[in-house]
Amino acid sequence: MTAKVIILKRKFEGTPTLDNFKIVEEKLRPLQQGEFLVEARYISVDPYQRVYPPKVGQTMLSEQVAKVIESQNNDFPVGSSVVGEWGWRTHTIAKDVAGDFCLRKPRLLTGYDGLSRSLALSVLGMPGNAAYFGLLHMGKPMKGNTVVVSSAAGGVGTIVGQIAKIKGCKAVGITSSVEKGERLVKEVGYDHYVSYNSKNFEKDLSKATKDTVHCYFDSVGGEISSSVLTKMKKFGRVVICGAISTYNSKIKATASEVQTTVKVQHLVMEGFKVTRFKDQWDEGIQQNLQWLKEGRLKPFEHIVDGFSNTPNAFIGMFAGQNFGKTIVRVG
């Protein structure tokens, strides 16, 4: 068996390009006791892969949904679907051990009757749990509160907005365009949207929020986030999930001073990696699954076909080509 593998060819400098990646072939050895061979079905593409790249020459990090095609492990029988941290590769000799980055062992997919297995990489996976735990365990919004979400049309943001609405909150999404904003309102269920490319961004933000933001779920950072903080209500909570506006910058990122606002408004700012909740993982998955089956939570996925297009999907994500979670469908 020969696997196709996408490695980091050269270090990132600024925005990723195709020159950063290379597809190589790897001949796989026979399985040993306790191992199982998986064939990728869906591969996850995420912003964190830009922030935490592998060493040059190593496989790009990610989770994937795969099918077990050979097994020497009774817990992972042939034909079963499994999600694991195997990176950008078509075939992997896997073991029942935790990955180096996501820190979770491979998991068999159950309860997916009538549902796409790709959901294990979106609403029923890391993005879904980032939204669930980040908003409810850290943002702690109450019914009637105003929740603002940056990168609202992304893999996490489309879920955060829906959970905010489930909890009876007013949801305001910040995105890049009118087109995406209209989809946020019509399809996702946001109450309002604000385009950060608008010449009237500050005015539009004030109008949408009434300058009374109780909770801000931030995945962008930079000046956008500095602006939101000035609209926060006293004792508001800021949840920092990411800072994608800075990931490809070649110069040191700068933003307006926010310490005075944080002090005067008594704001609480807290960042997190979703692996912080690895011991509670199933809580988020099961709740999101229930909401999904009840029709209260909708998945939004941007599917790119073909293993060789994984780098293109990654680059396109930073260019804003996606609405929802970017996922590569291998075959």
Side-chain angles (χ1 to χ4, degrees):
M1 175 68 70
T2 299
K4 291 183 179 180
V5 184
I6 298 177
I7 64 171
L8 185 66
K9 181 181 177 182
R10 60 168 55 94
K11 290 182 178 180
F12 295 122
E13 293 182 4
T15 303
T17 69
L18 292 178
D19 289 335
N20 289 117
F21 309 99
K22 182 180 180 180
I23 298 179
V24 299
E25 292 190 347
E26 177 184 310
K27 188 172 179 60
L28 301 180
R29 58 171 174 76
L31 293 182
Q32 298 177 358
Q33 188 61 37
E35 296 177 335
F36 52 102
L37 178 63
V38 297
E39 183 175 71
R41 291 292 187 263
Y42 298 97
I43 292 177
S44 182
V45 173
D46 301 278
Y48 78 80
Q49 294 156 356
R50 173 63 179 85
V51 184
Y52 303 103
K55 294 180 180 179
V56 171
Q58 293 185 347
T59 307
M60 286 294 296
L61 303 169
S62 81
E63 285 192 309
Q64 62 171 248
V65 170
K67 183 177 181 179
V68 178
I69 60 174
E70 186 180 340
S71 182
Q72 292 293 327
N73 187 319
N74 292 333
D75 292 331
F76 296 91
V78 172
S80 57
S81 294
V82 60
V83 61
E85 190 181 347
W86 299 309
W88 293 7
R89 50 188 299 134
T90 59
H91 298 82
T92 305
I93 294 176
K95 297 180 180 180
D96 189 16
V97 296
D100 294 331
F101 183 79
C102 299
L103 308 178
R104 293 187 301 281
K105 290 184 177 183
R107 303 172 304 286
L108 292 174
L109 299 185
T110 58
Y112 277 68
D113 296 340
L115 299 175
S116 172
R117 269 55 175 177
S118 64
L119 296 179
L121 302 178
S122 58
V123 69
L124 300 180
M126 186 191 304
N129 270 356
Y132 175 84
F133 289 110
L135 181 65
L136 301 184
H137 286 229
M138 299 174 64
K140 302 177 181 178
M142 301 176 64
K143 184 176 181 180
N145 282 179
T146 296
V147 176
V148 172
V149 184
S150 62
S151 192
V156 176
T158 49
I159 304 170
V160 175
Q162 293 183 80
I163 295 177
K165 293 303 298 178
I166 288 172
K167 294 299 181 179
C169 300
K170 173 182 176 181
V172 177
I174 299 176
T175 190
S176 60
S177 67
V178 171
E179 179 183 6
K180 284 189 175 182
E182 290 179 345
R183 289 191 66 184
L184 286 176
V185 174
K186 294 178 182 178
E187 299 177 34
V188 182
Y190 274 88
D191 294 285
H192 303 282
Y193 77 88
V194 180
S195 171
Y196 60 76
N197 284 316
S198 169
K199 294 184 297 184
N200 300 313
F201 172 70
E202 289 282 352
K203 182 178 179 181
D204 294 343
L205 183 61
S206 289
K207 182 179 180 181
T209 63
K210 309 299 182 185
D211 290 339
T212 306
V213 179
H214 300 85
C215 176
Y216 176 40
F217 192 103
D218 184 22
S219 296
V220 173
E223 281 297 330
I224 293 172
S225 294
S226 296
S227 295
V228 176
L229 294 187
T230 66
K231 318 298 182 188
M232 299 285 294
K233 188 174 176 62
K234 280 188 176 180
F235 306 105
R237 302 184 69 87
V238 181
V239 180
I240 303 174
C241 183
I244 196 171
S245 69
T246 69
Y247 292 169
N248 294 323
S249 178
K250 291 185 177 181
I251 60 175
K252 186 176 181 179
T254 59
S256 299
E257 181 269 328
V258 298
Q259 285 81 0
T260 299
T261 299
V262 172
K263 174 187 175 181
V264 173
Q265 294 299 95
H266 307 278
L267 304 182
V268 175
M269 299 179 68
E270 186 174 6
F272 77 105
K273 290 173 62 176
V274 70
T275 51
R276 165 177 171 177
F277 299 98
K278 62 184 178 66
D279 294 334
Q280 301 163 265
W281 201 256
D282 285 344
E283 174 192 331
I285 299 299
Q286 291 305 314
Q287 180 60 82
N288 285 342
L289 178 60
Q290 179 181 333
W291 284 332
L292 189 67
K293 290 183 174 180
E294 293 172 349
R296 304 176 73 189
L297 190 60
K298 296 184 292 184
F300 291 89
E301 298 179 336
H302 176 72
I303 302 294
V304 177
D305 284 308
F307 176 74
S308 63
N309 282 324
T310 306
N312 288 312
F314 182 65
I315 293 166
M317 176 185 61
F318 285 106
Q321 295 177 3
N322 61 301
F323 189 93
K325 177 70 178 73
T326 301
I327 296 172
V328 174
R329 181 164 47 203
V330 178

